[in-house]
Amino acid sequence: MLNLKEHKKKIIGLAAVVAVAIGAGYYYFSQQNDGLVLYGNVDIRQVSLAFNSSERIEKMLVEEGDRVKKNDLLATLESKPLELSIAKSEAAIEKQEAVVQRLKNGSRPEEIEQSAAKMRAAEADYENALLYKNRMAELYKSSAISKQEMDNASARFKAAAADLDNARETYRLSEIGPRAEDIAEAEAQLKGLRADLLLQKYNLSQTKLLSPIDGVVRSRLQEPGDMASPQKPVYLIAVEDTKWVRAYISEKRLGEIKPGMAAQVIIDTYPDKPINGQVGYISNVAEFTPKTVQTEELRSSLVYEVRVYVEDKDNVLRMGMPATVKLL
């Protein structure tokens, strides 16, 4: 009877030892597997696209959810006024180019001969006016004419002399051609017209809204007929090649993480398919916990922002999606 009691005591004691061992092992392994868990939301970079000029929107070519490539045409503005202005500028440039070419070529032989003929005619008028003045002077000395007639003859001679000087100067200029300053002035005017044309063509190119990146259209914010301006976005484009989870960690656990640490991101849609990532950013400034963080431990404390960048090859993450981050 005593042996049976002792045997039962030994069995009970052994069971107690086993229970303690099992509990200790469970505690040990649970502590080993208790990695740091954070909660946050998926974030994606996005680009706000607007026209550089103010004009009415003519066409909107993509919708929300459409995938776009870099340099794809997304929307256009009305361009008729700019096209008419460009045509007018091109005509003004052609006219000014002709002026510059004429100045550079100088006077044609026919123009020089024409100036010479005018000079010869002015010389003949001068000789005739001189003879007439001398004849009137002799008559005036003999009191055959009045002083008024003598004055008229003198005035005729002076006018003929001035015409001769002008004709000679015109002939001289036709021989030497335009001045270098005149050519430079004409070329400067031509340069200004060409610069205006380049500006107008640039403004015409800005009537087309092109995608600067590969991405997905998140929002279509305006419609054809709306007045566009640089301050009014037309589309929001999400950049898919860079995604991260924005999470928050309390100060007492801040020392448990560091940049480059491996992590797994789990979402409710695919709880059994964690997405690999790593810690890429840890804020240096504490802030109040955002309302999107739902853990009781963090609801009313100061925390630090942590960004966990992920490799979302299957493109399952969406903007604002809640996610759980397990740091490894």
Side-chain angles (χ1 to χ4, degrees):
M1 204 56 193
L2 292 175
N3 291 333
L4 181 60
K5 291 183 178 179
E6 290 179 0
H7 182 66
K8 289 183 178 180
K9 289 181 180 180
K10 288 180 180 181
I11 292 175
I12 294 173
L14 181 60
V17 171
V18 172
V20 171
I22 292 174
Y26 176 80
Y27 176 79
Y28 172 80
F29 285 106
S30 64
Q31 290 299 311
Q32 293 297 314
N33 295 326
D34 185 21
L36 181 60
V37 177
L38 303 178
Y39 301 89
N41 297 84
V42 176
D43 208 343
I44 299 175
R45 288 194 179 97
Q46 63 182 17
V47 180
S48 177
L49 301 182
F51 285 101
N52 283 339
S53 55
S54 298
E55 186 55 78
R56 293 204 177 275
I57 297 176
E58 183 178 44
K59 296 178 181 178
M60 298 284 289
L61 303 176
V62 294
E63 304 285 346
E64 287 94 343
D66 288 349
R67 293 186 179 277
V68 296
K69 297 291 185 181
K70 184 177 181 180
N71 294 325
D72 280 355
L73 181 62
L74 306 181
T76 61
L77 298 177
E78 294 180 0
S79 59
K80 192 64 176 179
L82 277 174
E83 292 171 355
L84 294 175
S85 180
I86 287 174
K88 181 179 179 181
S89 294
E90 289 175 341
I93 288 174
E94 290 181 3
K95 179 180 178 181
Q96 190 62 23
E97 285 175 342
V99 171
V100 171
Q101 190 62 44
R102 184 178 71 247
L103 291 174
K104 286 184 176 180
N105 291 338
S107 301
R108 294 178 296 178
E110 296 82 0
E111 293 174 334
I112 296 175
E113 180 57 32
Q114 185 181 34
S115 297
K118 290 181 179 180
M119 183 180 67
R120 289 192 295 269
E123 288 174 344
D125 290 341
Y126 174 81
E127 293 294 336
N128 187 35
L130 178 60
L131 292 174
Y132 180 76
K133 173 190 172 187
N134 291 338
R135 186 166 60 251
M136 291 295 103
E138 292 296 329
L139 293 174
Y140 182 71
K141 288 180 181 179
S142 61
S143 300
I145 60 173
S146 65
K147 187 176 184 306
Q148 180 64 41
E149 291 176 309
M150 183 62 212
D151 291 340
N152 291 339
S154 298
R156 176 182 171 183
F157 170 74
K158 291 179 180 179
D163 291 341
L164 178 58
D165 290 339
N166 184 56
R168 286 174 175 172
E169 182 63 19
T170 300
Y171 174 72
R172 185 183 72 84
L173 292 176
S174 66
E175 280 192 318
I176 65 176
R179 294 184 302 175
E181 293 86 347
D182 294 336
I183 297 176
E185 180 182 2
E187 288 179 333
Q189 292 176 354
L190 178 59
K191 185 177 180 181
L193 291 173
R194 286 174 174 169
D196 288 341
L197 179 60
L198 288 177
L199 179 60
Q200 291 171 354
K201 287 185 175 180
Y202 171 78
N203 290 335
L204 180 62
S205 71
Q206 297 305 296
T207 62
K208 297 179 179 180
L209 186 63
L210 305 179
S211 176
I213 56 168
D214 296 347
V216 176
V217 178
R218 290 199 62 232
S219 298
R220 171 170 161 157
L221 304 175
Q222 297 197 57
E223 295 297 330
D226 287 340
M227 181 63 71
S229 73
Q231 294 77 31
K232 297 172 64 177
V234 179
Y235 286 109
L236 290 180
I237 307 294
V239 185
E240 290 194 315
D241 59 354
T242 303
K243 298 181 181 179
W244 69 88
V245 175
R246 189 190 307 273
Y248 296 86
I249 186 171
S250 63
E251 184 176 0
K252 66 180 181 180
R253 307 202 67 175
L254 187 61
E256 299 179 34
I257 64 171
K258 60 182 179 180
M261 179 180 291
Q264 288 185 336
V265 173
I266 300 172
I267 57 175
D268 295 339
T269 305
Y270 301 105
D272 57 342
K273 294 182 180 180
I275 301 172
N276 294 326
Q278 65 177 16
V279 177
Y281 168 78
I282 304 173
S283 175
N284 294 323
V285 180
E287 56 185 287
F288 285 104
T289 307
K291 293 181 180 179
T292 54
V293 177
Q294 298 298 324
T295 58
E296 295 182 0
E297 179 186 359
L298 300 179
R299 285 179 182 172
S300 62
S301 61
L302 288 174
V303 292
Y304 293 81
E305 179 185 340
V306 177
R307 295 183 187 177
V308 178
Y309 292 89
V310 297
E311 302 173 0
D312 186 20
K313 297 179 180 179
D314 296 330
N315 192 31
V316 298
L317 299 181
R318 297 292 183 266
M319 182 77 171
M321 179 182 287
T324 301
V325 177
K326 290 186 177 181
L327 299 176
L328 304 179

